[in-house]
Amino acid sequence: MSAALESVLEATMGSLFRSEEMTLCQLFLQSEAAYACVSELGELGLVQFRDLNPDVNAFQRKFVNEVRRCDEMERKLRYLEKEIKKDGIPMLDTGENPEAPQPREMIDLEATFEKLENELREVNQNAEALKRNFLELTELKHILRKTQVFFDEQEHAGLNSTESMTRALISDDNIARQTALGPVQLGYVQPANRRAKYLSCVPCVRVYSFVAGVILRERIPAFERMLWRACRGNVFLRQAEIETPLEDPSTGDQVFKSVFIIFFQGDQLKTRVKKICEGFRATLYPCPEAPADRREMAMGVMTRIEDLNTVLGQTQDHRHRVLVAAAKNIKNWFIKVRKIKAIYHTLNLFNLDVTQKCLIAECWVPVLDIETIQQALRRGTERSGSSVPPILNRMETFEDPPTYNRTNKFTKGFQALIDAYGVASYREMNPAPYTIITFPFLFAVMFGDLGHGMLMFAFAAWMVLKEKPLAAQKTDNEIWNIFFGGRYIIFLMGLFSMYTGLIYNDVFSKSLNLFGSHWEIRNLTSKDVLDNGVLPINPTWDYVGHPYPFGMDPIWQLAENKIIFLNSYKMKISIIFGIIHMLFGVVVGLFNHLYFKRRLNIICEFIPQILFLIFLFFYMTILMFIKWIKYAAPHPINNPDVTTSSFCAPSVLITFINMVLFKSPEEKDTEGTKKNPCDPWMYGGQNGLQMLLVLVALLCIPWMLFAKPFMMMQERKKKHMQLNTHNTENGDLDGSGAVQAQGQVQGGHKEEEEDMAEVMIHQGIHTIEYVLGSVSHTASYLRLWALSLAHAQLSEVLWNMVLRNGLTQGGGLGGIILWALFAFWATMTVAILVLMEGLSAFLHTLRLHWVEFQSKFYLGQGYSFTPFSFEILLETAQATSEAAD
C-alpha cells in the first residue's frame, strides 16, 4: 500500500515539474460500438489518435459519406445563422453541452434542417418577388407623378405634347436644361443646317413618341452623353430625382434613382433609345399620354401598392417566426453536428481488420489516465449495446511521445509563455513552475513602483473577480483576449511590483515616510536647508547609524546624490539576481541528466559548467556581500576605523578584472609614491584563492570541450574490442570469420570517425556558447537596473513637469488648472508608465527567461499533445466563425 502511494505521489509531483508520462496504445473496437466509444473519448479529451491511413486519399476513406453529410448539415446551419443575424434575432446560448447524437439521429437532424432551409428559401424567394413587384409599382408611381408635372406645364402653355416637342426640337438652343418641376433638364436639337427644312414643314410634323423609365442617379451624366452621341442630338430628355431611396430587392441596399422621359421620332430612334436604356440598366414603364389614362393608372398602382404592403408584412412575420424558432436551438445544433463530424473524422484514422467487423486504432495516452480511458470505453460500449468489450493494449515504440503538461486557468498563461519559445522535449524539466515566481519578480525589479503596480494589480484583480461574465462575453478583439488570457500573470506582476515599490520606496516618483527618516542634518541650520533645497547626504555626519527597517529611507528622495546611490544599489542587485538565476538554470539541467541517466553529461558538462559559473561570477557576488558587510561610511562614533570605511573599500569590478588578468592591486602604485594605508584585499589569502579559482575556471573550458568526446571514444573502443574478441573466438578455422570481423571493424571505424567529428563540432559550439554566454548573459541582467532607472526617471519627470505645476496654483483658477493637469498626468501615467513601460519590462523579462535562463537546461524540441477533445474542437470552430464574421 505504501509503495503504491509513493509511486502515485512521485508520478503526480513529476507531472508538475516535467511532462506527463505517455504511452502508445492499440485500441480494438467493434464496428457497432466504435462511434459511441469515440464519442466518450472526445468528451474526455485525453487521447491523441494516430493516422493509420496516411497514404489513403481523404475521399477514399470509409466514413467519407458521413463526413459529407455533416458538411451539408453545417452549410445549412450557417445559412440559417446568417439569416438570423441579418434580422438581428438573438441566438439563445444556454451554455449546455449536448452529447453527440447517435448515428440514427442524423436522419432526423437532416430532415429538420432540410425543412427549415426549404421553408426559409421559399419565404425569401416570395419576399424577393413581392419586393421586386413593390419596387416596380413604386417606380411607376413616381414616373406617373413626375411626367404629370411636365405635361401639366405644356397644357398651361396652351400646347399639346406634340406641339411642345416640335418647338423644343426646333428651338435655337442646343441644350435646354430644366427640371421636372421647373426648367427642362436636357434638350437635344437637330443640326443648324436642317432647321429651315423643319421650320418649313412644322404643320406636317408627325406625332413624336416617348419612353419613360427609372435609372440610378449616378448614371444620369453618362446616360445623357450616350443619348446625345448615339442619337446625334435628335432626342429630348427630361429627368427628375426621386427624393426617397428605394430598396434593392436582391441586395437589400438603399439606392437613389431618377425618373426620365425621352421624346424621339421614328422607329429607328426608338430602337436605339431602348438599347441605350437596356445598356444602362434603366427600367422602362408604360406611361399613357392622356391625362385621364395616367390618372386612372395611378389610382390602380396605389391600390396594388397597398395590397402588396399587407402581403409583405405577413411574409415578414412568417419569416420572423421561422427564424425565432430556429434561433432557440441553433447553438445546440451546431454543437451536435460538429461533434458528429469530429467523430467520423477520427474514425477515418482507424484501420479495418480482415473481417470488416473490428476497427483498430493507435493512440497516445497519459499513463495516469489509462483507467479513466478504459471506463469511458466501457460506457461507450454500454451505450451502443455491444456485447464485445473494447481492448486497450500498451505498445512498445522507439518514437518520441508527445509532451503533455497539465494546466489549469492559473498555470495556463505561464505554460503558454514557455511553449511560445518551444515545446519541451518528452519528460524534460518544465520551466513553467519556476517561471510562476521568477517571471513576475524579475518584471517587478524593472517596474518597481507601488502606485503603478497598484494600478496593474487592480486591473488584473477586476478581470479575475469578473472572470466568468467576462469569459462569457466572447469577442474577437485580440488585445483584450491577450490581456484576459494573461490575467493571472498581470495579477502577479502587479503584486510583485507593489512589493519592489515598497523596497525602492517609490510611489509615483514619491516616497512614503512610514518609519521616519534615519538621517539627521547636524551641521546645517534650517536657513541653509531652505536656501539650498536639495543637498547631498554625507553618511559621515548625517547618518544616525541605525538601518532603515524596510526598504529605502525616504530622505533619499530629497538627496542630490540619489541617482548615484540608487545606480550602485540597483546595478549590484541586478548582477546578484542574474547569477543566481543562471546558477539555478544549470542546477535544473542536473535533474534532466539524472532522469535520463546521462552520466557522461553530468561529468563532462554539468560539473565544469557549475564550477566555471561559481568560481568566476558567483565569486563576484560574494565580493559584493563582503564589501557591504565589512565596509561602512566613516563615522566618528559608529565607524572610527578608517580601514573599514568606504574610503578604503576596493571596487568589486576592478578586483574582478585584476583577478582574471592575474594582476595584484600593488602593481598600480608608481615608484617613489607612498603606499596607500588601506588594505587592498578584502580578506586574508584573497590573492591566492583568486588565482586558484581562475585556474580551475580556465581548466573547465578544455574539460567541457574534450572530455566528452574522449570518453565516448574510449567507450566505443572498449565495445569494439569486446566485439573483435567475440568474433575471433567464434570465427571459422580457415580464417574467413576473422577476415569478416576485421572488415566489420574497419567499416565501423569509418562511421565512428564521422560521428566523432559531429560530436566534436557540437561540443565545441556548446562550449563556446556557454563560456561566452556566461559573460554576455551576466551583462544582460543589467537590463534590470537600466529599465528600473528609466522607469523611475520617467515617473519623476512626468510629476515635475506636469502635476507639480498644478499643485503650485491657488484659488479657483488653480483648482481648474489642477483638475486639467491631473487628468493629463493620469492619462500619461496609464498610457506611458503602465502600458508602454509595462510592455517593455514584460518583453525584457521574457527574453531573460528564454535566453539567459532556459538556455542552461531547456532544449524545447518536442511536440505538443493534441488530444481528440470536443471542447478544443468547439472552441476552435467558434473562434473561426467569429473571425469570419
Side-chain angles (χ1 to χ4, degrees):
M1 182 67 181
S2 60
L5 182 61
E6 289 177 2
S7 62
V8 172
L9 183 61
E10 181 183 355
T12 305
M13 293 301 292
S15 65
L16 177 64
F17 294 101
R18 55 177 84 244
S19 60
E20 288 280 341
E21 186 177 356
M22 308 293 291
T23 183
L24 183 64
C25 293
Q26 193 172 33
L27 180 61
F28 296 88
L29 298 173
Q30 290 297 310
S31 297
E32 62 271 13
Y35 182 92
C37 291
V38 172
S39 174
E40 290 291 337
L41 294 178
E43 298 289 349
L44 198 60
L46 290 173
V47 177
Q48 176 180 337
F49 291 99
R50 301 173 65 189
D51 190 1
L52 300 183
N53 308 295
D55 300 328
V56 179
N57 191 289
F59 300 100
Q60 297 175 347
R61 303 202 176 193
K62 179 175 176 58
F63 300 98
V64 63
N65 292 329
E66 285 77 3
V67 173
R68 287 177 176 174
R69 290 167 62 187
C70 293
D71 286 335
E72 182 65 18
M73 287 191 292
E74 199 170 6
R75 182 196 62 79
K76 294 174 182 178
L77 286 176
R78 284 197 299 268
Y79 172 71
L80 290 174
E81 184 183 32
K82 178 182 176 183
E83 296 297 320
I84 290 170
K85 290 181 178 179
K86 184 187 295 184
D87 282 18
I89 300 173
M91 290 178 286
L92 182 64
D93 188 3
T94 60
E96 297 180 3
N97 186 16
E99 295 182 353
Q102 294 298 319
R104 58 179 177 273
E105 297 180 26
M106 284 182 63
I107 300 175
D108 297 335
L109 289 175
E110 286 176 320
T112 302
F113 301 158
E114 183 73 21
K115 179 183 177 182
L116 283 173
E117 185 192 27
N118 292 338
E119 185 176 3
L120 192 57
R121 288 191 182 277
E122 185 178 355
V123 170
N124 288 342
Q125 290 174 0
N126 293 337
E128 184 177 352
L130 292 172
K131 287 181 180 180
R132 195 176 299 280
N133 196 0
F134 179 79
L135 176 66
E136 293 174 353
L137 292 174
T138 305
E139 291 177 346
L140 181 56
K141 177 187 71 174
H142 286 290
I143 287 175
L144 294 174
R145 287 181 180 177
K146 301 296 182 181
T147 55
Q148 181 64 36
V149 175
F150 171 73
F151 289 125
D152 287 345
E153 290 175 356
Q154 308 307 324
E155 290 175 359
H156 291 160
L159 302 171
N160 58 28
S161 60
T162 302
E163 292 173 346
S164 65
M165 269 305 306
T166 301
R167 293 193 177 185
L169 287 173
I170 64 176
S171 64
D172 292 335
D173 297 326
N174 286 337
I175 299 179
R177 297 189 175 273
Q178 172 179 346
T179 65
L181 302 178
V184 175
Q185 182 70 319
L186 181 63
Y188 298 98
V189 298
Q190 296 287 347
N193 58 0
R194 298 179 62 188
R195 287 193 191 127
K197 180 178 179 180
Y198 275 88
L199 287 172
S200 63
C201 60
V202 167
C204 302
V205 172
R206 293 183 297 173
V207 177
Y208 281 79
S209 301
F210 67 91
V211 293
V214 176
I215 192 173
L216 290 175
R217 189 178 298 177
E218 60 268 17
R219 295 179 182 173
I220 285 292
F223 185 57
E224 291 177 352
R225 289 193 296 269
M226 181 58 70
L227 281 173
W228 185 81
R229 292 174 181 174
C231 300
R232 298 181 180 180
N234 293 310
V235 295
F236 183 74
L237 169 68
R238 295 192 66 183
Q239 63 97 0
E241 296 178 353
I242 301 176
E243 293 80 6
T244 58
L246 304 177
E247 181 183 355
D248 189 343
S250 300
T251 62
D253 299 332
Q254 299 292 326
V255 294
F256 290 90
K257 294 188 176 183
S258 296
V259 173
F260 67 87
I261 183 169
I262 306 173
F263 294 92
F264 52 84
Q265 181 184 8
D267 293 338
Q268 186 176 2
L269 281 180
K270 179 178 181 180
T271 304
R272 195 174 298 175
V273 167
K274 287 188 175 181
K275 285 184 177 180
I276 294 173
C277 293
E278 182 181 354
F280 280 87
R281 296 184 181 178
T283 307
L284 300 179
Y285 292 94
C287 180
E289 185 176 355
D293 294 340
R294 289 197 300 271
R295 202 171 295 109
E296 182 181 358
M297 179 179 286
M299 293 177 62
V301 168
M302 293 301 297
T303 304
R304 293 177 62 189
I305 286 176
E306 292 177 0
D307 295 340
L308 272 178
N309 274 328
T310 304
V311 177
L312 271 173
Q314 294 175 352
T315 304
Q316 291 297 333
D317 290 342
H318 178 61
R319 167 188 162 87
H320 187 76
R321 288 193 298 270
V322 173
L323 292 178
V324 167
K328 295 179 181 178
N329 300 313
I330 192 165
K331 292 290 186 182
N332 288 343
W333 286 340
F334 263 120
I335 293 174
K336 290 181 179 180
V337 172
R338 285 166 179 166
K339 284 187 176 182
I340 298 172
K341 183 179 177 181
I343 292 172
Y344 282 116
H345 263 302
T346 304
L347 290 175
N348 277 331
L349 306 178
F350 294 7
N351 261 342
L352 280 172
D353 69 338
V354 292
T355 62
Q356 301 288 318
K357 292 182 179 180
C358 180
L359 291 172
I360 305 172
E362 291 182 4
C363 53
W364 293 105
V365 299
V367 174
L368 291 177
D369 296 316
I370 290 180
E371 183 62 30
T372 307
I373 293 169
Q374 290 176 341
Q375 292 177 2
L377 292 173
R378 286 193 290 269
R379 286 197 304 270
T381 305
E382 293 172 0
R383 282 179 53 193
S384 64
S386 175
S387 58
V388 180
I391 301 173
L392 186 67
N393 292 331
R394 296 181 64 170
M395 301 173 59
E396 296 293 334
T397 179
F398 293 102
E399 294 184 32
D400 291 331
T403 301
Y404 175 42
N405 294 301
R406 296 184 190 270
T407 58
N408 51 36
K409 60 183 180 181
F410 176 74
T411 60
K412 184 178 180 181
F414 295 97
Q415 189 65 54
L417 292 179
I418 302 302
D419 292 342
Y421 175 79
V423 179
S425 303
Y426 177 65
R427 299 295 287 170
E428 187 179 19
M429 287 294 290
N430 183 22
Y434 317 110
T435 305
I436 294 174
I437 298 300
T438 59
F439 191 92
F441 178 75
L442 292 181
F443 171 88
V445 173
M446 293 182 276
F447 195 75
D449 189 293
L450 180 61
H452 301 153
M454 193 180 301
L455 293 176
M456 186 178 292
F457 175 80
F459 174 64
W462 172 74
M463 289 192 293
V464 171
L465 294 176
K466 300 289 184 181
E467 185 176 279
K468 291 184 179 179
L470 290 176
Q473 299 175 1
K474 297 178 180 178
T475 177
D476 57 351
N477 190 319
E478 293 186 6
I479 296 177
W480 166 253
N481 290 334
I482 291 173
F483 278 128
F484 185 72
R487 58 193 178 277
Y488 289 100
I489 301 177
I490 301 174
F491 181 85
L492 288 182
M493 290 193 306
L495 185 64
F496 278 67
S497 297
M498 292 169 62
Y499 168 75
T500 53
L502 286 173
I503 295 293
Y504 296 156
N505 205 351
D506 195 355
V507 186
F508 297 118
S509 79
K510 295 300 173 185
S511 295
L512 295 175
N513 191 5
L514 298 177
F515 306 102
S517 176
H518 282 220
W519 294 76
E520 59 182 29
I521 308 300
R522 297 186 178 183
N523 298 324
L524 296 175
T525 64
S526 300
K527 184 178 182 303
D528 295 333
V529 176
L530 293 175
D531 291 343
N532 287 277
V534 179
L535 295 171
I537 295 178
N538 187 353
T540 304
W541 305 105
D542 304 332
Y543 186 52
V544 177
H546 304 292
Y548 199 69
F550 185 81
M552 291 287 181
D553 194 303
I555 196 66
W556 283 107
Q557 183 64 34
L558 305 175
E560 190 180 29
N561 53 341
K562 178 183 70 170
I563 298 297
I564 299 174
F565 170 74
L566 290 180
N567 271 354
S568 176
Y569 168 72
K570 292 182 178 181
M571 180 174 64
K572 286 182 173 64
I573 63 171
S574 298
I575 296 296
I576 292 170
F577 290 152
I579 293 174
I580 292 175
H581 200 210
M582 291 190 294
L583 274 173
F584 179 66
V586 177
V587 172
V588 172
L590 173 63
F591 293 99
N592 277 334
H593 301 325
L594 291 174
Y595 179 81
F596 294 111
K597 299 179 181 178
R598 301 169 182 162
R599 186 180 61 87
L600 200 60
N601 289 0
I602 296 175
I603 299 174
C604 303
E605 291 184 3
F606 170 74
I607 295 178
Q609 286 178 0
I610 200 74
L611 290 178
F612 183 83
L613 202 58
I614 289 177
F615 285 4
L616 288 183
F617 298 99
F618 187 71
Y619 175 73
M620 183 172 60
T621 66
I622 295 176
L623 291 179
M624 295 178 188
F625 282 99
I626 293 175
K627 183 177 179 180
W628 283 341
I629 295 171
K630 182 176 180 180
Y631 299 95
H635 197 277
I637 299 174
N638 298 327
N639 188 21
D641 187 5
V642 117
T643 59
T644 59
S645 66
S646 57
F647 174 75
C648 290
S651 170
V652 174
L653 180 60
I654 299 301
T655 302
F656 182 74
I657 293 175
N658 290 336
M659 165 186 164
V660 175
L661 298 178
F662 296 100
K663 187 177 182 182
S664 66
E666 285 79 7
E667 296 178 7
K668 296 184 294 184
D669 296 334
T670 58
E671 294 182 0
T673 60
K674 186 179 180 180
K675 265 196 164 183
N676 195 331
C678 298
D679 188 359
W681 305 108
M682 294 185 182
Y683 58 90
Q686 181 179 354
N687 188 26
L689 178 62
Q690 288 182 169
M691 293 181 65
L692 176 64
L693 294 179
V694 174
L695 289 174
V696 174
L698 292 176
L699 287 175
C700 289
I701 298 176
W703 188 353
M704 286 185 282
L705 184 61
F706 299 111
K708 185 175 180 179
F710 177 75
M711 295 182 69
M712 291 178 64
M713 291 175 62
Q714 293 298 320
E715 289 183 2
R716 292 187 180 181
K717 285 182 179 179
K718 184 177 179 181
K719 290 181 180 178
H720 282 289
M721 288 178 63
Q722 293 176 355
L723 180 63
N724 291 337
T725 303
H726 178 73
N727 290 335
T728 304
E729 292 177 353
N730 298 332
D732 296 334
L733 293 176
D734 58 358
S736 60
V739 172
Q740 184 179 2
Q742 184 179 1
Q744 290 177 355
V745 172
Q746 291 176 354
H749 180 66
K750 182 178 180 181
E751 183 178 354
E752 285 173 21
E753 288 181 350
E754 295 177 355
D755 293 340
M756 292 310 302
E758 292 181 3
V759 171
M760 284 293 297
I761 293 173
H762 176 270
Q763 202 65 20
I765 294 173
H766 185 70
T767 302
I768 295 172
E769 181 183 2
Y770 183 82
V771 173
L772 297 182
S774 297
V775 180
S776 62
H777 292 174
T778 303
S780 183
Y781 277 94
L782 290 174
R783 69 185 69 236
L784 300 174
W785 155 58
L787 266 76
S788 176
L789 177 64
H791 184 82
Q793 290 303 302
L794 278 174
S795 181
E796 186 173 352
V797 167
L798 187 61
W799 178 282
N800 292 333
M801 296 186 66
V802 179
L803 196 57
R804 186 178 180 182
N805 296 327
L807 294 173
T808 59
Q809 303 294 329
L813 180 61
I816 297 175
I817 294 175
L818 178 60
W819 173 82
L821 290 178
F822 177 79
F824 179 74
W825 174 82
T827 303
M828 298 300 291
T829 296
V830 173
I832 296 178
L833 295 177
V834 176
L835 291 179
M836 292 181 61
E837 283 286 310
L839 179 60
S840 175
F842 177 88
L843 294 176
H844 283 282
T845 309
L846 193 62
R847 180 243 155 80
L848 289 177
H849 280 79
W850 281 358
V851 179
E852 278 72 21
F853 174 58
Q854 292 178 193
S855 63
K856 301 296 185 294
F857 67 96
Y858 190 70
L859 294 178
Q861 297 177 353
Y863 62 100
S864 296
F865 176 61
T866 54
F868 170 61
S869 171
F870 288 145
E871 182 180 0
I872 297 175
L873 291 171
L874 293 176
E875 288 178 357
T876 305
Q878 181 68 23
T880 304
S881 63
E882 290 176 357
D885 294 340

